[in-house]
Amino acid sequence: NKHTNQGEKNMIGTIAGILTTLSFVPQVIKVLQTKDTKAISLGMYLMSVIGIFLWMVHGYVMGDMALLIANLITFCLALVILISKLKYK
């Protein structure tokens, strides 16, 4: 949209990145506290971790530090859930 300035575009992207990244925190806390992963889809988390890793690589290749850092944090959080799913089958 030509009426949206660059600062507003960056703010929207920043808010989206923060919310997407933080969305994994409640699940990580719950899994670490309860060790209950029965209702978590292994396939979904496996694909998510791979996809997030690829977004992280894309951020690196493109020189986009915000994309890289947001996906690095998200990757770590999702990986905790994936490892817990494999460990607490």
Side-chain angles (χ1 to χ4, degrees):
N1 182 326
K2 57 185 160 185
H3 299 291
T4 305
N5 69 36
Q6 192 61 39
E8 290 171 335
K9 290 177 185 176
N10 287 339
M11 183 179 69
I12 291 168
T14 299
I15 292 169
I18 290 169
L19 290 174
T20 303
T21 299
L22 292 180
S23 70
F24 284 84
V25 172
Q27 190 67 57
V28 168
I29 291 169
K30 185 173 183 179
V31 164
L32 292 177
Q33 286 177 342
T34 67
K35 300 185 182 6
D36 180 12
T37 61
K38 181 173 52 175
I40 294 174
S41 168
L42 177 61
M44 182 269 188
Y45 266 90
L46 186 59
M47 286 187 281
S48 288
V49 166
I50 293 169
I52 294 163
F53 177 79
L54 292 174
W55 274 114
M56 187 174 62
V57 171
H58 177 69
Y60 175 77
V61 169
M62 299 302 291
D64 187 335
M65 289 306 291
L67 186 62
L68 172 64
I69 292 168
N71 282 287
L72 174 63
I73 295 167
T74 305
F75 175 78
C76 292
L77 293 168
L79 190 61
V80 167
I81 296 168
L82 179 62
I83 290 169
S84 296
K85 175 66 177 175
L86 295 170
K87 184 177 178 180
Y88 302 124
K89 277 183 162 181

